[in-house]
Amino acid sequence: MSSGVSGLDEILQGGRVSGRSYLVRGDPSTGKTLLGMNYLTAGVDADETALFVNLEESEDGIRANAAAVDIDLSDVHFLDLSPDSGVFTEEQYYHVFAPNEVEQELLTQAITDRVESLAPTASSSIRSRNSDI
């Protein structure tokens, strides 16, 4: 299956293996999100339903960055789980539990609910992650 990037498909001798999961990992600004954008738009071009789950940058920011490099995400669905500006200005405390113990289940449930309601094509899902997370 095409990665959406012809040079990468050539290196991979045709692209990804269908039905497999892939984790794209690297330092900030190494192209993980661009790879994901190209992959999802290739899926849309093949009449697939694509879902972009964003946890850090806002949907508007991602769409603006994509447009700046001529990538059209207009037919890509988003589940925007990025924090709003209040997260960075309000003091939030957890006295008994660590933040990941409190927030993990809510995050997982939000993603599960959206995937079930949208039913994206299985081959059009990709996740990128910074190596320092």
Side-chain angles (χ1 to χ4, degrees), residues 69-114:
V69 292
D70 294 324
I71 297 175
D72 180 11
L73 297 180
S74 61
D75 292 325
V76 173
H77 298 271
F78 275 76
L79 173 56
D80 189 347
L81 297 174
S82 62
D84 62 21
S85 60
V87 168
F88 302 109
T89 59
E90 298 171 3
E91 292 187 34
Q92 297 183 7
Y93 296 99
Y94 293 103
H95 296 286
V96 179
F97 300 102
N100 64 332
E101 293 176 301
V102 176
E103 297 167 350
Q104 186 68 38
E105 187 174 327
L106 296 173
L107 180 67
T108 302
Q109 190 60 51
I111 294 170
T112 300
D113 291 347
R114 179 60 184 216

Side-chain angles (χ1 to χ4, degrees), residues 2-5 24 31-45 50-54 57-76 78 124-128:
S2 175
S3 67
V5 179
V24 178
K32 300 176 301 294
T33 301
L34 282 174
L35 174 62
M37 290 176 187
N38 279 291
Y39 178 67
L40 292 174
T41 56
V44 167
D45 291 344
L51 175 61
F52 191 120
V53 178
N54 50 307
E57 188 174 1
S58 71
E59 177 181 347
D60 290 340
I62 292 169
R63 288 187 185 277
N65 290 339
V69 292
D70 294 324
I71 297 175
D72 180 11
L73 297 180
S74 61
D75 292 325
V76 173
F78 275 76
S124 66
S125 60
I126 191 168
R127 180 176 180 194
S128 67

Side-chain angles (χ1 to χ4, degrees), residues 2-11:
S2 175
S3 67
V5 179
S6 59
L8 179 58
D9 289 347
E10 185 178 330
I11 291 169

